[in-house]
């Protein structure tokens, strides 16, 4: 389905109160007064004993780049839901100050979506890319409850036995909402931490917190050609997969609603980064040590390299069996930051093997 013209497509989508029985459904779900775009695919033969999969994208992306993952999982009998996070893709981008973007906000959104559509009779598998990985971890643990929520749907009693989440798969997991969590690295000296903190502050003041500059960039600098070249830098294995559909999925949400995009970009880069994956594991071992957790990492990722803080943490967790029951596993795929769309054949072979071995 073409992404553009972006607004016309949105106007043609009906509002649904429940998941349709059609094999493929594009819908707008109302959440806290905002439009959330969701794509779902349901196998013809339902119900079955396979868990439902929820896909969560990374910064600036949308459900579009899960195109091969959605088709593959559906072909193998999984019900799949891919959401455009609030402020990104085809979802609303509020500018009235009512939304404070955070990992926990999006995790709360995912939990409410799963609750409204009664997902999880056979369990739910959360899959996220980059910052979407952190959304998956927060939703799985119910960590967003600390933001004032009394209960959760997916994590239920916040104990492994009562959780609807039967597995988590993280693709090139990020360190936080933004890079500020790098400052938490214990190997940094006080001087290094101060220098990095000063540098981040300068960048935020001059660029990411500068609404006028961001507005000018989206109006006058960002082009499809520029985005195409940038995306090819992330698609190290198959740059030819950066096609018109993919480029449009990044381009139109930014230029069709510049004010909303500026607000989302400003907040994502300057808001509190939230908990790092390492902090999430430290805080919720009773949950994350008891759920199968699989990492699929692009070997040539320049955004969240396997040699970075998060990659090193998970490699050590797997190598030294630090997950309590040995439930954490890792596959390194020849690809960049988006392995499931850059090298879909190898990625999905490993993904399906993990699902079959650990969850079925």
């Amino acid at each position: 389905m073409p992404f553009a013209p972006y607004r016309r497509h949105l106007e043609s989508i009906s509002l649904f109160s429940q998941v349709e029985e059609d094999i493929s459904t594009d819908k707008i779900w109302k959440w806290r007064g905002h439009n959330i775009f969701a794509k779902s695919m349901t196998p013809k033969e339902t119900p079955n004993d396979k868990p439902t999969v929820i896909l969560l994208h990374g910064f600036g992306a949308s459900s579009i780049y899960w195109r091969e993952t959605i088709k593959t999982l559906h072909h193998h009998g999984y019900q799949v839901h891919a959401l455009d996070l609030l402020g990104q893709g085809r979802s609303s981008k509020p500018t009235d100050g009512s939304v404070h973007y955070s990992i926990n906000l999006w995790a709360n959104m995912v939990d409410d979506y799963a609750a409204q559509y009664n997902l999880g009779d056979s369990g739910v598998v959360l899959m996220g890319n980059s910052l979407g990985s952190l959304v998956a971890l927060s939703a799985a643990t119910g960590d967003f409850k600390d933001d004032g929520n009394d209960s959760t749907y997916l994590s239920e009693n916040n104990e492994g036995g009562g959780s609807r989440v039967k597995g988590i798969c993280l693709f090139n997991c990020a360190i936080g909402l933004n890079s500020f969590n790098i400052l938490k690295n214990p190997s940094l000296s006080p001087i290094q931490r101060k220098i990095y903190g000063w540098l981040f502050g300068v960048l935020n003041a001059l660029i990411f917190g500068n609404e006028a500059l961001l507005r000018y960039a989206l109006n006058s600098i960002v082009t499809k050609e520029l985005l195409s070249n940038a995306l090819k830098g992330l698609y190290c294995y198959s740059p030819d997969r950066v096609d018109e559909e993919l480029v449009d999925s990044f381009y139109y949400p930014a230029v069709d609603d510049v004010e909303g995009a500026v607000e989302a970009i400003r907040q994502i880069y300057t808001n509190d980064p939230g908990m790092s994956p390492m902090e999430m594991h430290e805080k919720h071992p009773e949950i994350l040590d008891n759920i199968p957790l699989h990492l699929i990492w692009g070997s040539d990722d320049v955004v969240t390299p396997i040699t970075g803080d998060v990659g090193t943490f998970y490699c050590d967790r797997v190598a030294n069996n630090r997950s309590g029951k040995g439930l954490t596993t890792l596959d390194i795929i020849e690809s960049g930051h988006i392995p499931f769309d850059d090298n879909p054949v190898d990625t999905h072979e490993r993904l399906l093997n993990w699902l079959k071995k650990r969850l079925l």
Side-chain angles (χ1 to χ4, degrees):
M1 176 189 62
F3 201 90
Y6 160 72
R7 283 184 174 149
R8 266 209 310 275
H9 174 68
L10 279 186
E11 292 169 357
S12 70
I13 299 173
S14 301
L15 299 179
F16 289 78
S17 60
Q18 61 183 12
V19 175
E20 295 294 300
E21 293 300 323
D22 297 340
I23 291 177
S24 180
T25 302
D26 290 349
K27 59 179 174 288
I28 293 295
W29 169 56
K30 282 286 187 181
W31 184 65
R32 299 183 180 180
H34 304 299
N35 291 339
I36 304 299
F37 176 85
K39 182 178 185 66
S40 61
M41 292 193 77
T42 303
K44 289 182 179 179
E45 297 181 5
T46 55
N48 60 40
D49 59 354
K50 292 183 177 179
T52 297
V53 176
I54 300 177
L55 302 173
L56 306 167
H57 64 78
F59 171 66
S62 70
S63 52
I64 289 289
Y65 76 170
W66 292 109
R67 49 197 175 177
E68 296 299 329
T69 307
I70 293 170
K71 287 188 291 186
T72 298
L73 289 170
H74 171 257
H75 177 74
H76 285 83
Y78 294 90
Q79 184 183 89
V80 188
H81 296 260
L83 309 181
D84 284 8
L85 300 177
L86 179 63
Q88 302 185 64
R90 285 167 280 192
S91 292
S92 295
K93 299 169 184 63
T95 58
D96 59 1
S98 63
V99 171
H100 183 83
Y101 292 111
S102 68
I103 297 299
N104 281 353
L105 173 77
W106 290 319
N108 200 159
M109 185 195 92
V110 172
D111 193 78
D112 287 348
Y113 178 88
Q116 178 154 346
Y117 294 108
N118 299 312
L119 305 183
D121 285 346
S122 298
V124 170
V125 177
L126 297 172
M127 300 186 183
N129 172 229
S130 199
L131 69 76
S133 296
L134 290 155
V135 178
L137 289 172
S138 180
T141 59
D143 189 71
F144 62 87
K145 283 209 315 181
D146 291 348
D147 287 355
N149 299 278
D150 294 328
S151 61
T152 72
Y153 175 81
L154 289 172
S155 65
E156 209 166 48
N157 298 322
N158 261 11
E159 299 292 340
S163 177
R164 288 183 170 87
V165 179
K166 302 307 178 186
I168 306 169
C169 185
L170 310 181
F171 298 89
N172 298 55
C173 183
I175 197 168
L177 178 68
N178 50 54
S179 297
F180 270 98
N181 272 347
I182 293 174
L183 300 177
K184 297 175 181 177
N185 188 326
S187 68
L188 291 178
S189 68
I191 294 177
Q192 288 176 313
R193 192 168 284 107
K194 182 172 291 188
I195 291 174
Y196 280 126
W198 174 83
L199 179 60
F200 287 147
V202 169
L203 289 173
N204 283 346
L206 295 180
I207 302 176
F208 303 121
N210 187 333
E211 294 184 22
L213 180 61
L214 294 175
R215 191 176 297 113
Y216 173 76
L218 293 181
N219 282 322
S220 305
I221 297 178
V222 174
T223 64
K224 289 188 180 183
E225 181 180 8
L226 182 68
L227 276 175
S228 178
N229 291 333
L231 287 168
K232 287 177 180 177
L234 302 180
Y235 281 62
C236 305
Y237 184 78
S238 302
D240 57 310
R241 288 190 56 78
V242 178
D243 56 15
E244 182 179 8
E245 179 186 42
L246 183 71
V247 173
D248 285 355
S249 73
F250 283 82
Y251 179 75
Y252 283 103
V255 301
D256 274 5
D257 186 358
V258 170
E259 293 305 315
V262 165
E263 178 63 12
I265 293 169
R266 181 190 68 80
Q267 286 201 41
I268 290 170
Y269 273 102
T270 63
N271 283 359
D272 187 285
M275 293 177 63
S276 69
M278 294 76 86
E279 291 174 311
M280 200 81 74
H281 280 273
E282 183 178 2
K283 182 177 179 180
H284 300 287
E286 75 286 356
I287 299 173
L288 296 178
D289 285 357
N290 290 284
I291 296 176
L293 191 157
H294 191 52
L295 291 301
I296 296 182
W297 220 288
S299 58
D300 299 315
D301 185 11
V302 295
V303 179
T304 56
I306 189 68
T307 55
D309 292 352
V310 180
T312 299
F313 166 76
Y314 279 118
C315 285
D316 177 69
R317 182 176 171 87
V318 172
N320 294 291
N321 192 23
R322 298 189 190 280
S323 58
K325 296 183 178 180
L327 295 178
T328 302
T329 49
L330 170 67
D331 279 316
I332 298 178
I333 302 293
E334 187 178 354
S335 71
H337 188 58
I338 307 168
F340 47 87
D341 198 43
D342 185 14
N343 184 355
V345 174
D346 290 346
T347 298
H348 294 138
E349 179 183 359
R350 305 295 180 84
L351 174 62
L352 291 169
N353 285 342
W354 171 73
L355 288 168
K356 182 179 179 179
K357 181 178 180 180
R358 297 284 183 168
L359 279 81
L360 299 182

